[in-house]
Amino acid sequence: MDLQNMIYLVVGFTFCIYMGIAILARAGSTGEFYVAGKGIHPVANGMATAADWMSAASFISMAGLIAFIGYDASAYLMGWTGGYVLLALLLAPYLRKFGKFTVPEFIGDRFYSNGARIVAVICLLVASITYVIGQMKGVGVAFSRFLEIEFEAGVMVGMAIVFVYAVLGGMKGITYTQIAQYVILIFAYTVPAVFISLQLTGNPLPQLGLGAEMANADGLYLLDKLDATLKDLGFAAFTEQKGSDINLLLLTLSLMIGTAGLPHVIIRFFTVPGVKEARSSAGWALVFIAILYTTAPAVGAMAMFNLLKTVQPEITQVAGTTQTHANKVQSLAVADKPQWFSTWETTGLLQVEDKNADGQIQYYNDNNPEFSHTAAQQGWQGNELTKVDRDIMVLANPEIAQLPNWVIALVAAGGIAAALSTAAGLLLAISSAISHDLLKRTFTPNISEKAELNAGRIAMACAILIAGYLGINPPGFAAQVVALAFGLAAASIFPALMMGIFSKRINNYGATAGMLAGLTITLLYIFAYKGFFFVPGSELFANTPDNWWLGISPEAFGAIGALINFIVANLVARLSKQPPAEIANLIESIRTP
Amino acid sequence: MANSHNRAQQYWRANLKLLTICLCIWFAVSFGAGILLADFLNQWRIGGYPLGFWFAQQGSIYTFVGLIFFYAKQMNKLDQQYQQGE
């Protein structure tokens, strides 16, 4: 069967599964719609959480990032997993004991303030909507690349599918669909990785393959070979640290507390039967996430090695050995370009330009002054692989490694599953914040359960339309918003939740002031380097490491925002009244099992 | 009443102690071994992995998983003790 039909078959099959689940898991009450009736088994919830959490970015972009920045990508690997430790130890069990439906609900009740509730709703909406735009875009990219239909049509198909199972089934439908999506995405991610690891090292486990010796080269370790090849082309070694310690530390910390503070992840732990299950479920979630996250470094490094081997075969051959290469090395001849090269050139994600007109493509670091001498000797006049989009490292990986068609089809289905599952989780967080926190708890407390459930469905439908519209017409800042979502969650939501549980002294004023302070400072710092509301040209400073305050990148600033939140909340709370006695009792009750 | 309040206090203190231990390990494997001490640890190797690099991209993640299950197990014991006193 040819590749295109194979992809239609595999992707179509997965869609049938999602539709089947939508019909079986219809939500009949607000409890089922918001928290799946609180009856999900901890392992099942762990799997759903993993799919909820791992987005198009984790599936498609992370390994590409690792391929190009090597060791420094550790901030993402540790940040996006270490956050689950904070979630399991500091938040999930207590919020489950509190036993309500949403994150702003806890903040509003614990700080006995509708002001705090509304600030929390705004943070949640901004973080979740920015995040969901990226998912819709990911759905569109996956569809248009693999199904060869228009990008817009791709987004609309994605919207229609999410609409059916999320609007009908609410959290119940989403949970069971996410379990199916996890299985699909993890297969799609690990199967090519196993094949490639076997090809390069003879070891089927990518986690071990990355630390193993090369299968057909002089007993060199894969990582040593990769480091040596990169250095011979003027790049920094894969395992070497490029950024500063402080930025790496703060970026890791910001991503950790941002992860723990993202509402669409937290609400997943409201669906398990009790406190005990909330703790173990976080562990299971991390097991399922770790399978992908420990595979990703191998995927990134091996994809990079395969790319170098394709473009600069002679240098790759001798790198790290005692041999030396010829005075005039052979690179990839333009006439011999492999098929996948041309495929990806037509998408514009890969571009080559034969600058020195020698009929070959040279890939090297032309920004390295120390390497310019070697390049001049070779007659190279600039890097000729002028664009390699990071995303193709995962998407083209099976083609680069010449894997069978069904593996490529599986990767397509996996990318779509990753984007859809995260989008659905975010849409639920958005709709529950509107129908439950704004309508039921703030503006129309007398609303009936049936009306609230309908309001939830309408809010979800509107959120899907808005997300779809923004996915098709992405605001100019679509690429910048990840920093925003994590920054907001880290600087506002995480500290408010943590203080609500661990301090009896923080009162309504302290919490609100702290959230606003953390939020404002983080927003201002991001805007100062990325433009006010991301309008190009309105930034105060160029976004380069020399300009950053203490060398801290805007992405890494969430941790500082959180610190300011803690300080302001404590100061304000100590200068104003103690929380009332019933709040002390509430805290006592969430602290005991 | 006073007794149950006491037990709740004890339970909470034991929980905080366990939390502190777990968070120290959490910090040590990621920020410690993975970043601050990575250069120093890179003089040793696990197979082809420099040790600091291994902690940053593999070891810290495995430790996080173990840590959550360890905490969950210890807390289950504490929960039981707390409930038996009731």
Side-chain angles (χ1 to χ4, degrees):
Chain A
M1 194 186 299
D2 78 331
L3 178 60
Q4 208 52 47
N5 286 327
M6 183 69 103
I7 291 177
Y8 279 120
L9 188 77
V10 173
V11 174
F13 177 68
T14 63
F15 285 178
C16 292
I17 298 178
Y18 307 155
M19 289 299 119
I21 293 170
I23 293 160
L24 290 175
R26 212 167 166 276
S29 66
T30 48
E32 287 188 344
F33 190 80
Y34 293 136
V35 292
K38 301 187 183 174
I40 304 291
H41 189 274
V43 179
N45 182 56
M47 215 177 254
T49 309
D52 196 77
W53 168 239
M54 293 191 288
S55 59
S58 290
F59 188 88
I60 298 172
S61 306
M62 195 172 57
L65 196 68
I66 297 169
F68 285 97
I69 66 174
Y71 167 81
D72 288 38
S74 309
Y76 297 92
L77 290 163
M78 290 190 286
W80 286 338
T81 53
Y84 278 83
V85 177
L86 299 180
L87 195 58
L89 272 53
L90 303 177
L91 303 181
Y94 311 104
L95 296 177
R96 176 63 192 83
K97 179 71 201 302
F98 176 66
K100 299 277 182 66
F101 291 154
T102 72
V103 171
E105 191 168 31
F106 175 78
I107 292 179
D109 288 2
R110 160 64 184 84
F111 299 114
Y112 47 99
S113 150
N114 273 340
R117 191 192 312 271
I118 288 171
V119 173
V121 170
I122 292 170
C123 294
L124 182 153
L125 290 181
V126 176
S128 302
I129 290 173
T130 50
Y131 213 106
V132 85
I133 298 172
Q135 302 311 314
M136 282 300 171
K137 219 174 138 239
V139 173
V141 169
F143 272 105
S144 57
R145 164 64 188 90
F146 289 111
L147 304 186
E148 289 177 0
I149 57 178
E150 289 294 308
F151 177 82
E152 287 78 11
V155 173
M156 280 178 213
V157 174
M159 279 164 64
I161 297 204
V162 175
F163 188 90
V164 173
Y165 72 76
V167 173
L168 277 184
M171 187 57 124
K172 198 173 155 201
I174 289 173
T175 303
Y176 292 116
T177 323
Q178 280 173 337
I179 293 170
Q181 283 161 335
Y182 175 78
V183 175
I184 293 162
L185 83 87
I186 203 68
F187 261 102
Y189 203 83
T190 49
V191 166
V194 167
F195 273 117
I196 293 168
S197 180
L198 268 175
Q199 281 177 351
L200 287 180
T201 67
N203 194 320
L205 273 183
Q207 288 85 344
L208 298 180
L210 183 57
E213 292 170 7
M214 305 278 297
N216 52 0
D218 10 299
L220 270 174
Y221 283 114
L222 175 66
L223 278 171
D224 290 340
K225 183 82 176 173
L226 180 59
D227 277 355
T229 313
L230 283 167
K231 278 199 227 154
D232 284 356
L233 290 168
F235 295 102
F238 187 81
T239 56
E240 180 185 304
Q241 183 176 335
K242 290 114 201 157
S244 71
D245 264 7
I246 172 131
N247 191 50
L248 205 56
L249 277 175
L250 285 175
L251 179 56
T252 309
L253 186 61
S254 299
L255 294 172
M256 282 181 181
I257 57 183
T259 301
L262 280 176
H264 73 282
V265 178
I266 296 175
I267 54 173
R268 284 239 48 99
F269 294 94
F270 297 173
T271 67
V272 294
V275 173
K276 190 176 157 216
E277 288 82 3
R279 292 190 200 111
S280 71
S281 190
W284 285 110
L286 192 54
V287 167
F288 296 124
I289 292 167
I291 296 174
L292 189 144
Y293 273 55
T294 54
T295 306
V299 173
M302 290 173 187
M304 184 44 114
F305 180 79
N306 276 334
L307 178 74
L308 296 175
K309 202 173 88 175
T310 307
V311 184
Q312 296 281 25
E314 201 177 326
I315 290 191
T316 311
Q317 176 65 36
V318 301
T321 66
T322 48
Q323 310 163 41
T324 46
H325 52 66
N327 288 333
K328 213 74 180 132
V329 301
Q330 293 294 311
S331 305
L332 175 67
V334 177
D336 297 342
K337 277 190 301 190
Q339 175 60 39
W340 61 267
F341 229 90
S342 320
T343 317
W344 288 95
E345 269 182 279
T346 55
T347 64
L349 297 178
L350 189 71
Q351 282 166 14
V352 295
E353 184 193 343
D354 190 4
K355 291 177 183 164
N356 59 356
D358 63 351
Q360 297 179 2
I361 301 158
Q362 282 95 28
Y363 177 50
Y364 71 101
N365 185 3
D366 53 5
N367 290 321
N368 181 354
E370 286 166 34
F371 193 71
S372 56
H373 180 66
T374 319
Q377 263 183 350
Q378 292 284 349
W380 297 348
Q381 293 167 12
N383 172 31
E384 296 178 351
L385 199 57
T386 45
K387 182 175 177 190
V388 202
D389 192 280
R390 286 170 176 169
D391 290 353
I392 70 174
M393 284 304 194
V394 165
L395 297 176
N397 217 3
E399 295 164 80
I400 298 176
Q402 297 168 343
L403 300 182
N405 279 353
W406 64 269
V407 178
I408 302 172
L410 196 58
V411 171
I416 294 168
L420 287 180
S421 59
T422 306
L426 288 159
L427 290 166
L428 186 89
I430 293 169
S431 78
S432 62
I434 292 171
S435 62
H436 193 65
D437 293 308
L438 288 188
L439 292 181
K440 175 79 181 170
R441 299 300 308 271
T442 314
F443 295 118
T444 56
N446 296 325
I447 191 172
S448 72
E449 179 174 331
K450 197 155 172 254
E452 191 190 339
L453 186 58
N454 282 333
R457 291 202 161 113
I458 294 168
M460 173 98 71
C462 293
I464 292 174
L465 291 177
I466 294 171
Y469 175 80
L470 292 172
I472 293 172
N473 306 296
F477 53 82
Q480 318 274 18
V481 296
V482 180
L484 188 69
F486 277 89
L488 290 186
S492 61
I493 300 173
F494 177 81
L497 292 175
M498 202 185 148
M499 288 184 293
I501 297 161
F502 286 86
S503 163
K504 289 184 180 170
R505 187 65 187 83
I506 303 295
N507 59 10
N508 49 350
Y509 300 118
T512 315
M515 275 196 286
L516 287 175
L519 187 68
T520 315
I521 295 253
T522 309
L523 272 183
L524 286 179
Y525 193 82
I526 295 177
F527 285 166
Y529 291 98
K530 300 198 167 209
F532 279 83
F533 295 94
F534 303 104
V535 176
S538 67
E539 53 276 78
L540 299 178
F541 316 100
N543 191 13
T544 58
D546 320 331
N547 284 334
W548 294 339
W549 179 67
L550 296 179
I552 302 168
S553 67
E555 285 79 6
F557 198 76
I560 307 282
L563 184 69
I564 290 166
N565 185 336
F566 280 121
I567 293 171
V568 170
N570 271 293
L571 281 180
V572 172
R574 266 161 232 286
L575 295 173
S576 48
K577 264 173 53 186
Q578 283 262 8
E582 67 259 29
I583 295 300
N585 290 338
L586 170 72
I587 300 171
E588 288 288 341
S589 94
I590 59 170
R591 284 180 179 182
T592 47
Chain B
M1 179 63 205
N3 187 24
S4 97
H5 183 73
N6 261 346
R7 266 189 315 111
Q9 292 260 303
Q10 268 178 3
Y11 171 82
W12 185 244
R13 268 199 301 272
N15 177 18
L16 289 183
K17 196 177 146 200
L18 185 59
L19 273 180
T20 313
I21 296 170
C22 290
L23 288 178
C24 285
I25 299 172
W26 164 81
F27 184 89
V29 292
S30 51
F31 297 98
I35 299 176
L36 294 172
L37 300 174
D39 277 344
F40 172 73
L41 292 176
N42 279 347
Q43 61 182 302
W44 294 288
R45 293 179 144 237
I46 299 185
Y49 283 114
L51 188 58
F53 178 87
W54 181 81
F55 265 106
Q57 302 211 337
Q58 300 278 317
S60 58
I61 302 176
Y62 300 135
T63 316
F64 294 154
V65 173
L67 209 50
I68 298 181
F69 283 113
F70 170 75
Y71 176 75
K73 199 174 152 220
Q74 296 298 314
M75 284 309 285
N76 285 347
K77 277 192 209 159
L78 270 182
D79 288 1
Q80 254 175 7
Q81 282 173 9
Y82 174 81
Q83 273 144 0
Q84 270 164 8
E86 232 157 43

